[in-house]
Amino acid sequence: MDWDKLRIFHAVADAGSLTHAGDVLHLSQSAVSRQIRALEESLNTTLFHRHARGLILTEQGELLFDATSSMNKRLEAAAARIRDSEEEVFGSLRVTTTTGFGSLWLAPRLAKLYEKYPDLNIDLMLEERVLDLPMREADVAIRMKEPSQADLVRKRLMSVWMRLYASPEYLEKHGTPQSLDDLENHRLICQRTDSTQVGAGQVFVQGLLTYDLKSTLNVNNYFGVLQAVINNLGIGVLPHYVIEDFPRAVRVLPDEESGEIPVFLAYPEELRQSRRIAAFRDFVQEEIIAHRRQLRENI
């Protein structure tokens, strides 16, 4: 098959429109249309259903688009490795992690990374879904469990525990619980048990919900839980690392916590020599060392 026609097909399938694909490729709509027709003729099949609102892939088109998507990601990986042969750290780096860790721990620290590497462009993708690193949905991930895929480089960064926190104002008004049974006089703020989260955190919350609670507030991420806690709504279940940046949050029932949650940094084996990955990895490790030192000082 003609590589150029495949490139044009991929752009059309991605855009869902001949006009939009032409804009991306800097080609006229008629030129794009001719290339698609020629590709369909060479394969003796129809790749798109045409209708007034745009183009929809046929079953055969879906098969070809899966192949060109995989090719495109591999080409991006190769281009990244070529760029990383330079001495300077620059270009794009796609980082994925959970909403809680990314918004509460990672994002506030990125200024230091940009100070050191001002030409680095970071695409920070915060979501609970585990992105496929070998398929280049992201370049590097920070995950709350060890990755299961064999073709990933992985490094354990730290451990996290879910604990109970409240604001001083809330505790002054409602009192400080001395046992789990005392939670019946308080509002519990936690991540929803049916939302995607690490197993140890989910088990901890499920155990707390077995008590006769006065009220609950369920949120689908830890950033929302934190905002509710610091605004005096109740006692929240939060990862312990928030304390460094929000020292006014008071730990409640200090003997109660979740099981240990390991945190791993992972990236594809093919990016092992990437200077951008190395720069990000070293930055995260340095920040974790500083984070541990700060936590010790706060004890």
Side-chain angles (χ1 to χ4, degrees):
M1 283 182 278
D2 188 310
W3 284 94
D4 197 49
K5 288 185 177 64
L6 290 175
R7 177 179 66 90
I8 293 172
F9 162 79
H10 183 82
V12 173
D14 192 47
S17 162
L18 294 172
T19 302
H20 292 159
D23 292 340
V24 172
L25 298 168
H26 305 293
L27 295 172
S28 67
Q29 179 179 338
S30 59
V32 173
S33 181
R34 284 196 301 271
Q35 294 286 357
I36 294 299
R37 282 199 305 272
L39 181 60
E40 289 179 323
E41 290 172 2
S42 70
L43 294 172
N44 193 30
T45 192
T46 300
L47 298 172
F48 294 98
H49 292 302
R50 277 83 169 173
H51 61 85
R53 291 175 296 174
L55 302 175
I56 297 178
L57 287 165
T58 63
E59 182 179 354
Q60 292 78 11
E62 289 280 3
L63 289 171
L64 187 59
F65 185 57
D66 287 343
T68 58
S69 296
S70 179
M71 290 163 52
N72 193 54
K73 289 171 181 174
R74 294 297 181 185
L75 288 170
E76 287 179 358
R81 293 186 66 179
I82 292 170
R83 287 193 300 269
D84 282 334
S85 65
E86 301 291 335
E87 288 297 324
E88 298 180 6
V89 175
F90 68 98
S92 297
L93 183 65
R94 296 170 298 172
V95 179
T96 180
T97 188
T98 62
T99 303
F101 189 84
S103 59
L104 296 176
W105 193 91
L106 181 58
R109 292 169 168 79
L110 286 178
K112 297 177 183 178
L113 182 63
Y114 278 115
E115 286 175 7
K116 191 170 184 179
Y117 303 109
D119 296 324
L120 191 60
N121 300 312
I122 296 175
D123 183 3
L124 188 56
M125 296 174 281
L126 305 183
E127 54 182 294
E128 309 311 312
R129 182 173 68 93
V130 176
L131 300 187
D132 192 328
L133 297 183
M135 289 302 295
R136 298 307 308 280
E137 289 187 328
D139 298 315
V140 59
I142 297 177
R143 295 178 176 170
M144 304 300 118
K145 63 179 180 179
E146 184 171 6
S148 58
Q149 292 168 301
D151 49 353
L152 294 178
V153 179
R154 70 208 65 199
K155 180 173 180 59
R156 182 161 178 164
L157 297 174
M158 59 189 292
S159 294
V160 172
W161 289 267
M162 304 304 299
R163 294 169 177 169
L164 294 165
Y165 298 97
S167 68
E169 292 83 0
Y170 175 86
L171 295 176
E172 182 178 355
K173 183 176 180 179
H174 299 277
T176 301
Q178 301 302 311
S179 70
L180 288 171
D181 290 328
D182 292 341
L183 290 177
E184 66 180 15
N185 301 313
H186 296 273
R187 178 177 299 111
L188 182 70
I189 308 167
C190 57
Q191 188 166 348
R192 293 171 48 184
T193 56
D194 61 350
S195 62
T196 303
Q197 58 181 307
V198 294
Q202 187 177 49
V203 168
F204 184 53
V205 169
Q206 287 172 336
L208 296 173
L209 292 175
T210 62
Y211 288 84
D212 187 17
L213 302 171
K214 175 182 178 181
S215 174
T216 61
L217 171 62
N218 295 300
V219 189
N220 66 348
N221 62 69
Y222 293 128
F223 182 77
V225 174
L226 175 65
Q227 292 303 308
V229 167
I230 63 179
N231 284 284
N232 315 319
L233 267 71
I235 297 173
V237 180
L238 286 165
H240 81 280
Y241 55 74
V242 303
I243 293 307
E244 179 182 348
D245 297 318
F246 298 91
R248 292 191 69 255
V250 177
R251 186 174 180 187
V252 177
L253 298 175
D255 292 333
E256 304 296 334
E257 64 182 13
S258 73
E260 182 181 10
I261 302 167
V263 181
F264 284 83
L265 183 143
Y267 50 91
E269 178 69 37
E270 63 196 40
L271 293 180
R272 181 183 287 273
Q273 303 304 320
S274 167
R275 296 183 184 279
R276 289 168 299 137
I277 295 286
F280 180 78
R281 179 198 62 216
D282 293 346
F283 152 75
V284 171
Q285 290 178 317
E286 290 166 4
E287 286 301 306
I288 286 175
I289 292 172
H291 165 77
R292 289 171 177 161
R293 185 183 306 117
Q294 185 65 43
L295 288 180
R296 286 196 298 270
E297 293 174 358
N298 289 340
I299 294 176

